[in-house]
Amino acid sequence: MFEVETFSYLKQIYPFEWVMLTIYMLVLLGISFFIQVSNIKKQPVYRYYLGGVAMKAFSAVVFCLIYIYYYNGGDTVCYYETSRALVNLGMKDPASFWKVMTTAPSVENYFLFDDKTGFPWAFMYYDTQTFFVAKLIAPILFVAFRSYLVSGVVLSWLSFFGIWRFFLMLCRHYPAIEKRLALGVIFVPSVLFWGSGILKDTITFSAVCWFIVGIEGFFILKKSRLKNAAIFIVASYVLISIKAYIMISLLPGVFLWLLYSRFSRFKSYFLRYMSVPFIVIFSLAAGYGLLSVLGDSLGKFSVAHMLETASITQRDLKQDYYHGSSFDIGEFDPTISGVISKAPAAMAVGLFRPFIWEAHNVVMLVSGLENLVYLSLTLMLFARFIMQPKKFFRTFFNDPLLLFMFTYTLLFSVLVGLSTSNFGALVRFKIPFLPAFICFLLILNYKLARKRSGAPAGDYSPLVNPGTIRYDEKTGIITKAGR
């Protein structure tokens, strides 16, 4: 099984892969069942764990089948074939494999491959960010015996750990709505589909979740600081290496979250609200400064080149070779003023398109139906703002985590809307921020509804409803009264 194969391009799922899939699924589901049973008594929220893993694995299988038999290939297959060439090289010549894995792509390294190992796709090999993904996937292919189907399932399972940790974090802050949060983080159809295959988005979404969890653990909870520092540093490295613009979207919101977490402790609402403009300005300046320092390491996503990159990418994605799935918000100058002029349209695209009437296939139809739900939740939130603006602002500004999700969502949606003119790419690019957007809508709508009914909505605290929820600060365990 581990001999160097005669290279051939992937055109079908082979029978041995289905046998292996059955074995791997039994193992992965068995491990997940053990994790659920071991934790569910102390943390009842673990009742969603096994179902979440099963849905991720199922989505990975569906994703593989659709890309092989419906799309007849695509980026995911190119990632697989590039990684498979790496694995073959590793089995033929470990020294050459190590050289390719640890040095920048070069023509010299490219010709370490041959007809037996297969050659990486050139457009992926010479793109540093893309080839980094192929390097990450290579060990998974080795464990999965170079099976495309099994590799997709294993990658989706590994990515679920970060998603689950993010979900647990939200449940700790908002335990009264854990079921809604499960729907907003774990069981979103488009996130399951596009976040479960061999793609950048599967890795970046999980990395975003790990980054948020690590930031909270290190700076806010101040627990297991060495472990949490390692988590957010590694997650940052992965994001910068694959899609640096995600870090550009995250950093201002992170600074706002961390700073406002301290200012929100002021008893005076006046002082709390007066601090907001200064915190926002400082957060944007700090984020810009850090990104400017990173500079060359961000490549085409550096502050100096990001807007030009977005403009070029947008023009490419609306070309005729994308078969009618393109849209156009109009070209823009790669300047701050040019971005501001297009920001509202870009934000609308990033948050709510494709609309249901713009769907031309089943995949787009699912995304269109989801966007209709998000638009409805947004309109509901807007109506509550109109009816009770004072309570809206008080509830919103009492919760630094909501401020973070709001800032991150808006910045990411603008960047995605500006740089994308193709619905197929759009629904994929939205994955890393979509759960944050959904949870923002669910949490704020819930809090305002509770306030209007006279019931306590809870502030930024694990104890949303002290009569029914218990939180152990030492262990981080959530329980309900009577359990």
Side-chain angles (χ1 to χ4, degrees), residues 174 260 395-403 443 447 459-460:
Y174 315 103
Y260 198 70
T395 303
F396 183 43
F397 287 112
N398 274 353
D399 194 330
L401 186 53
L402 279 182
L403 280 171
I443 293 164
K447 284 192 166 190
D459 294 328
Y460 183 71

Side-chain angles (χ1 to χ4, degrees), residues 316-347:
D316 172 69
L317 287 173
K318 62 185 179 184
Q319 298 302 313
D320 291 337
Y321 47 74
Y322 286 101
H323 308 298
S325 63
S326 301
F327 60 91
D328 189 6
I329 64 171
E331 294 186 8
F332 63 93
D333 295 326
T335 61
I336 296 297
S337 60
V339 169
I340 292 174
S341 68
K342 289 295 181 182
M347 194 182 301

Side-chain angles (χ1 to χ4, degrees), residues 40-316:
I40 198 167
K41 288 185 178 180
K42 293 182 178 180
Q43 299 191 72
V45 71
Y46 266 84
R47 65 180 177 274
Y48 300 108
Y49 188 84
L50 182 60
V53 171
M55 286 302 298
K56 283 285 287 183
F58 175 76
S59 299
V61 172
V62 173
F63 179 90
C64 292
L65 293 177
I66 287 179
Y67 262 89
I68 293 297
Y69 296 110
Y70 180 75
Y71 289 126
N72 296 314
D75 285 355
T76 177
V77 174
C78 293
Y79 281 122
Y80 164 74
E81 290 172 347
T82 299
S83 294
R84 187 173 64 167
L86 279 169
V87 173
N88 288 339
L89 179 64
M91 290 185 288
K92 176 188 175 186
D93 186 352
S96 296
F97 171 78
W98 182 250
K99 183 180 180 182
V100 172
M101 291 289 284
T102 56
T103 59
S106 65
V107 175
E108 178 189 356
N109 283 355
Y110 189 78
F111 286 102
L112 293 173
F113 298 89
D114 57 29
D115 291 336
K116 277 197 171 183
T117 63
F119 289 89
W121 283 85
F123 78 95
M124 289 195 162
Y125 176 79
Y126 290 108
D127 185 310
T128 306
Q129 286 85 8
T130 304
F131 194 53
F132 180 81
V133 175
K135 290 179 181 179
L136 288 181
I137 296 171
I140 296 175
L141 258 70
F142 185 82
V143 171
F145 296 90
R146 293 176 298 203
S147 163
Y148 173 68
L149 183 63
V150 176
S151 297
V153 171
V154 173
L155 178 62
S156 70
W157 177 65
L158 292 174
S159 73
F160 183 75
F161 287 99
I163 298 166
W164 180 255
R165 287 292 301 275
F166 177 61
F167 170 64
L168 285 182
M169 187 193 89
L170 291 177
C171 287
R172 179 164 49 79
H173 289 291
Y174 315 103
I177 56 169
E178 62 184 33
K179 186 179 295 185
R180 301 183 202 185
L181 294 175
L183 293 174
V185 177
I186 301 175
F187 300 112
V188 183
S190 62
V191 176
L192 280 170
F193 181 78
W194 297 107
S196 298
I198 299 179
L199 287 175
K200 288 181 180 179
D201 311 282
T202 303
I203 299 171
T204 55
F205 175 39
S206 185
V208 165
C209 293
W210 278 119
F211 176 82
I212 296 170
V213 169
I215 287 289
E216 190 207 31
F218 185 85
F219 290 103
I220 297 177
L221 297 180
K222 299 179 181 179
K223 296 178 180 177
S224 304
R225 302 194 78 169
L226 184 61
K227 181 181 74 173
N228 284 304
I231 287 173
F232 80 77
I233 289 171
V234 171
S236 299
Y237 176 74
V238 170
L239 290 173
I240 290 172
S241 299
I242 300 177
K243 289 187 176 183
Y245 68 84
I246 297 180
M247 283 298 293
I248 294 172
S249 303
L250 280 167
L251 284 178
V254 165
F255 285 118
L256 182 61
W257 178 20
L258 298 180
L259 289 171
Y260 198 70
S261 293
R262 296 190 176 274
F263 282 91
S264 64
R265 297 171 186 173
F266 292 164
K267 293 183 179 180
S268 170
Y269 282 108
F270 176 77
L271 290 176
R272 194 182 302 178
Y273 295 152
M274 286 297 294
S275 68
V276 172
F278 298 101
I279 293 174
V280 170
I281 293 171
F282 177 82
S283 299
L284 292 173
Y288 181 87
L290 181 58
L291 292 169
S292 297
V293 170
L294 290 173
D296 295 338
S297 64
L298 297 180
K300 64 182 179 181
F301 293 112
S302 67
V303 173
H305 300 108
M306 179 182 63
L307 299 181
E308 184 179 353
T309 299
S311 180
I312 293 171
T313 304
Q314 188 225 32
R315 288 197 296 270
D316 172 69

Side-chain angles (χ1 to χ4, degrees), residues 359-370:
H360 299 295
N361 56 53
V362 176
V363 176
M364 291 300 108
L365 179 61
V366 172
S367 183
L369 290 171
E370 284 183 12

Side-chain angles (χ1 to χ4, degrees), residues 16-27 150:
F16 86 92
E17 295 186 73
W18 292 106
V19 176
M20 289 178 56
L21 177 65
T22 302
I23 298 170
Y24 273 69
M25 286 292 291
L26 289 173
V27 172
V150 176

